[in-house]
C-alpha cells in the first residue's frame, strides 16, 4: 500500500510560482513511475508531468517550459515546480504513483491551485 499526501497548493496571481510536494509512505516510491495530474471544473483529469524511476521526465505541451517535475527518492517526495502560472492552470492537482511491473496504482487526495488576480 502506498499513501500519497500532496501539499503546496493555494491562491497565486498570474505570473507567480508555486511548488507542489507529494510525500509517499512505504518503500515502493523508488520503484514507481510518479506523475502529477490536474482536473479543472467541468473537465477531465489530465496528465501534467511524469517522471520514471530513472529520472526521465515527460511534460505536457501546455506547461512545457513553465513546470518542472522532480523526485527525491531519499525523502520519498515528488515535486512540481510551477512558474509563470496562468489562470488556465487553475485546477485540483493530484499526485499519482504506478508501481513498476505491477498493476498497483495510487492517488493522493489532491491540492487546489487557483491562479487569479
Amino acid at each position: 500500500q502506498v499513501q500519497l499526501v500532496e501539499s503546496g497548493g493555494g491562491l497565486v496571481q498570474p505570473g507567480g510560482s508555486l511548488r507542489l510536494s507529494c510525500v509517499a509512505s512505504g518503500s515502493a516510491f523508488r520503484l514507481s513511475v510518479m506523475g502529477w495530474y490536474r482536473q479543472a471544473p467541468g473537465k477531465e483529469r489530465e496528465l501534467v508531468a511524469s517522471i520514471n524511476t530513472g529520472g526521465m521526465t515527460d511534460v505536457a505541451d501546455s506547461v512545457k517550459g513553465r513546470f518542472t517535475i522532480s523526485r527525491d527518492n531519499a525523502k520519498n517526495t515528488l515535486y512540481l515546480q510551477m512558474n509563470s502560472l496562468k489562470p488556465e492552470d487553475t485546477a485540483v492537482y493530484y499526485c499519482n504513483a504506478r508501481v513498476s511491473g505491477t498493476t498497483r496504482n495510487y492517488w493522493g487526495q489532491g491540492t487546489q491551485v487557483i491562479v487569479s488576480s
Side-chain angles (χ1 to χ4, degrees), residues 6-10 20-21 36 91-95 108-113:
E6 302 100 333
S7 63
L20 305 184
S21 299
W36 286 102
V92 178
Y93 284 71
Y94 297 91
C95 177
Q109 292 191 328
T111 184
Q112 176 77 58
V113 172

Side-chain angles (χ1 to χ4, degrees), residues 11-17 84-87 114-117:
L11 173 64
V12 63
Q13 292 187 343
S17 298
S84 302
L85 283 159
K86 303 176 181 180
I114 299 173
V115 184
S116 175
S117 55

